[in-house]
Amino acid sequence: ETGVTQSPTHLIKTRGQQVTLRCSSQSGHNTVSWYQQALGQGPQFIFQYYREEENGRGNFPPRFSGLQFPNYSSELNVNALELDDSALYLCASSLTSGRNTGELFFGEGSRLTVL
Amino acid sequence: KNEVEQSPQNLTAQEGEFITINCSYSVGISALHWLQQHPGGGIVSLFMLSSGKKKHGRLIATINIQEKHSSLHITASHPRDSAVYICANFGNEKLTFGTGTRLTIIP
């Protein structure tokens, strides 16, 4: 039990639709990061938010966007869904102090299927 | 470009054996993470280290900053250690994951 919760756990969308995934950080953590893991592949870093601002991004197009709220919970939004967006989406929270980001605590993930 | 390579990709061993998984990275780091992922998707953080060595139970992680290399060791391996082990390096403002090592421990 990491204290990081994600919702929904599973969802099905059709191509072209939009989706919002949610993540509640562990208490006291100020940093949240999002990852995409396709079936049989390793996680790929999407982006990271620190104190409500994006401070790192992987190789994902602009239709992947995010928000971090004052309570440090976060959303991942994906517009114009494509079939290849089908994956497990993981979030992780951590505590950043200065330039150092601490241990990552992962949620159980949201499994998205795009038909 | 930050690249992270792990070896071996797959490892099968008998219960009780000493296990070593290696990770090499190309960009200087603030911290290197070792993660464990069981079937079904849940990821657990095992270690975060930026120098030296850390130990937790039967798991030991070491890092050599000059050589840009880290190792994860498991002593007295057990079937419940069977999982995918992933190293990840935060460099160039993004977290890059290794390809993972699938470990299977046979009773």
Side-chain angles (χ1 to χ4, degrees):
Chain A
E1 186 75 33
T2 64
V4 179
T5 57
Q6 292 188 242
S7 62
T9 54
H10 296 80
L11 71 166
I12 300 173
K13 292 283 189 178
T14 57
R15 197 169 49 181
Q17 285 189 310
Q18 178 266 342
V19 68
T20 297
L21 307 178
R22 294 179 176 83
C23 174
S24 294
S25 302
Q26 187 176 93
S27 178
H29 284 181
N30 56 15
T31 303
V32 66
S33 47
W34 286 90
Y35 308 87
Q36 180 195 66
Q37 186 174 25
L39 198 61
Q41 305 292 318
Q44 299 291 318
F45 175 70
I46 303 175
F47 43 55
Q48 175 171 289
Y49 278 81
Y50 168 64
R51 291 187 174 178
E52 304 177 55
E53 292 196 5
E54 186 182 294
N55 76 336
R57 189 178 182 95
N59 297 324
F60 281 82
R63 61 189 184 84
F64 285 77
S65 63
L67 281 174
Q68 187 183 28
F69 299 101
N71 66 354
Y72 301 130
S73 65
S74 176
E75 288 182 354
L76 164 65
N77 298 289
V78 187
N79 294 322
L81 284 167
E82 301 177 359
L83 298 179
D84 286 348
D85 296 334
S86 296
L88 179 70
Y89 288 85
L90 295 156
C91 78
S93 76
S94 56
L95 178 63
T96 297
S97 176
R99 292 180 61 84
N100 298 313
T101 296
E103 185 178 359
L104 299 170
F105 293 83
F106 285 83
E108 292 296 311
S110 295
R111 187 166 295 281
L112 171 66
T113 302
V114 181
L115 302 177
Chain B
K1 183 181 176 185
N2 186 15
E3 295 179 339
V4 180
E5 295 185 356
Q6 279 185 246
S7 63
Q9 285 191 323
N10 293 282
L11 178 57
T12 300
Q14 292 289 133
E15 183 174 355
E17 286 190 38
F18 182 81
I19 303 299
T20 296
I21 300 170
N22 296 300
C23 176
S24 296
Y25 53 91
S26 61
V27 173
I29 62 168
S30 58
L32 185 129
H33 300 262
W34 280 102
L35 310 168
Q36 180 193 57
Q37 187 170 32
H38 281 284
I43 292 181
V44 174
S45 175
L46 300 175
F47 294 103
M48 187 195 71
L49 68 165
S50 53
S51 65
K53 172 181 171 179
K54 286 189 175 180
K55 184 176 188 292
H56 181 68
R58 295 181 294 106
L59 274 59
I60 303 166
T62 62
I63 191 166
N64 184 318
I65 300 296
Q66 287 73 32
E67 295 184 2
K68 294 187 172 60
H69 180 269
S70 177
S71 293
L72 176 68
H73 306 285
I74 305 175
T75 61
S77 58
H78 190 277
R80 65 174 174 266
D81 297 328
S82 298
V84 176
Y85 292 84
I86 306 168
C87 67
N89 166 15
F90 196 86
N92 291 342
E93 295 188 338
K94 71 174 195 176
L95 193 65
T96 301
F97 292 82
T99 51
T101 295
R102 184 174 298 278
L103 175 66
T104 303
I105 303 298
I106 300 171

